[in-house]
Amino acid sequence: MLTDEELTRYARQIVLPDLGGTGQQRLKASRVVVVGAGGIGCAVIPALAGAGVGRLTIIDPDLCDLSNLHRQPIFRSRDAGEPKAALAGQFVRRLNPFVEVDPVERRIEAHNAAALLSGHDLVIDGTDNFATRLAVSDACVALGLPLLSAAAAQWQGQVGLFRGKPCYRCFVGDAFDADDCDNCAELGVTGALTGLAGNLAALIALRVLAGAGDDPAGQLHLIDGLTGTQRRIRIPADPTCRACGITSS
Ligand SMILES: [Zn+2]
């Protein structure tokens, strides 16, 4: 049940026809893990915490750096040098005391991904390298968890929900397992674009968790920051995918 304070806090979204009290209770009962408190995570975390998602796990092994702040507005200048997961946890507690938050200062990798992700209803990955993304995706396929993947680099953003087939590996293939890919440290990115991609991911997450709107699984949203356009493509399943293809059911 929702308390009077929660009913007041969420009044402007409970009034939404596709959400309502039932949707709000679903959000409260939801357990979401956000992988990466970077530019994407720093948009996702306030949106989900503010909306009343009941439990947030935030996984990030890094320390806040001055060069993060142009795209990670939940941190402040004086936070430089502090662990980002703990800082993000403090941010959530200040924003909404009804959200249980669990900061995890660890790097997620193939060997620990399943243990860190199990027990959640939705995984949101905003990390910036393919080795991590594929480790997270493979664990989601193995655990049967939906994966909401969001990325932004240079002027391009992409957001997609993967549930069963196709999986994220179907989309990017196997070429990126080595941890040697470019990321936004080298490519550059604007905070406005990471915010846009992160908020789109948060919006899709809220729809999925509350049961509002169409099922977005298997579609990829592409954002072009230089033209201001967005398009949506359908991702085909790869029958030879080593995560969700041939050997799995
Ligand atoms: Zn696949």
Side-chain angles (χ1 to χ4, degrees), residues 167 170 241 244:
C167 73
C170 291
C241 173
C244 75

Side-chain angles (χ1 to χ4, degrees), residues 37-247:
I40 300 288
C42 286
V44 167
I45 290 163
L48 297 193
V53 167
R55 190 152 180 193
L56 283 178
T57 302
I58 300 167
I59 303 176
D60 197 302
D62 294 329
L63 303 179
C64 183
D65 186 89
L66 214 51
S67 67
N68 298 153
L69 297 179
H70 88 294
R71 68 185 184 285
Q72 298 175 17
I74 69 173
F75 305 130
R76 297 163 298 178
S77 300
R78 70 178 186 211
D79 292 336
E82 300 292 322
K84 293 168 73 173
L87 290 168
Q90 289 168 17
F91 174 88
V92 170
R93 289 186 200 102
R94 280 194 295 260
L95 175 61
N96 190 345
F98 292 98
V99 178
E100 275 183 59
V101 61
D102 185 16
V104 179
E105 292 168 28
R106 291 180 66 184
R107 187 170 303 284
I108 191 163
E109 294 171 298
H111 71 89
N112 63 11
L116 290 172
L117 300 178
S118 70
H120 296 88
D121 303 305
L122 175 67
V123 178
I124 304 180
D125 185 2
T127 56
D128 63 0
N129 76 80
F130 284 107
T132 303
R133 289 174 161 275
L134 286 166
V136 168
S137 173
D138 290 350
C140 287
V141 173
L143 294 167
L145 289 177
L147 168 64
L148 184 46
S149 174
Q154 296 188 317
W155 297 96
Q156 310 295 318
Q158 52 183 237
V159 181
L161 179 74
F162 299 87
R163 186 195 293 116
K165 304 178 188 187
C167 73
Y168 181 77
R169 187 179 283 280
C170 291
F171 170 47
V172 297
D174 297 334
F176 296 109
D177 276 306
D179 189 7
D180 59 356
C181 294
D182 290 336
N183 57 38
C184 65
E186 289 93 41
L187 293 172
V189 71
T190 71
L193 185 71
T194 54
L196 191 57
N199 274 295
L200 179 55
L203 182 62
I204 293 171
L206 293 176
R207 279 171 45 199
V208 168
L209 297 171
D214 298 337
D215 181 10
Q219 298 173 357
L220 191 72
H221 295 262
L222 301 170
I223 303 166
D224 185 329
L226 281 179
T227 61
T229 54
Q230 266 194 47
R231 62 198 177 95
R232 194 173 57 170
I233 60 172
R234 186 157 280 285
I235 305 286
D238 175 1
T240 68
C241 173
R242 69 176 210 233
C244 75
I246 304 173
T247 54

